Amino acid sequence: ELTGVTPADLGGPGTSAGLSRVWQIDPGATNVVCPSDACRVAFSGFTSIMDLEFGPDDRLHVVEYDLAGWFAAAQLGMPTTGAIHACDVGTGTCSVRADGLFMPAAITFDKWGGLWVLENHLAEPSVHRLP
């Protein structure tokens, strides 16, 4: 069960490329401090994780700002691009599902398994289905 993220994963201070990660916390664990015996890194190498969502394919989909990161976009007003990665919990590997997205902030899946993304959430938000 993947339930934890580092403070950097939530957008701050995740300002350095590749330092954000997703933590796996043991089911039933309480009052967990990471890292510990009940908590380990499931996926790493992200810049600024904006959202997480399990898809109908049982893969964890991770939305991230790349390179410039959250700080550059939110605090300095610099537009940034991002990507959605599909991560296989069993193998620990991720692949790019979509990239070149303009300031992606959130995703969801519809009842048919379609992936929807919110982009440009700080200025002129748009929601659209990805192919």
Side-chain angles (χ1 to χ4, degrees):
E1 180 176 326
L2 295 174
T3 56
V5 294
T6 67
D9 295 333
L10 299 175
T15 58
S16 298
L19 294 183
S20 289
R21 53 196 178 232
V22 177
W23 292 87
Q24 180 175 352
I25 299 173
D26 292 342
T30 59
N31 301 317
V32 175
V33 175
C34 297
S36 70
D37 289 341
C39 181
R40 65 202 128 292
V41 174
F43 304 105
S44 61
F46 300 104
T47 297
S48 289
I49 295 175
M50 301 304 292
D51 195 16
L52 303 168
E53 182 80 26
F54 275 101
D57 58 1
D58 292 328
R59 293 187 295 170
L60 180 68
H61 290 72
V62 180
V63 181
E64 74 159 335
Y65 281 1
D66 51 24
L67 302 180
W70 177 89
F71 182 78
Q75 300 299 319
L76 302 178
M78 297 170 51
T80 188
T81 59
I84 299 171
H85 303 266
C87 300
D88 185 311
V89 176
T91 64
T93 60
C94 297
S95 60
V96 175
R97 170 88 188 253
D99 62 1
L101 301 170
F102 184 70
M103 297 179 69
I107 57 171
T108 192
F109 289 89
D110 61 32
K111 66 181 182 179
W112 301 281
L115 176 59
W116 292 79
V117 61
L118 166 65
E119 290 186 81
N120 197 15
H121 64 102
L122 295 177
E124 296 177 22
S126 67
V127 176
H128 58 94
R129 188 173 194 259
L130 294 174

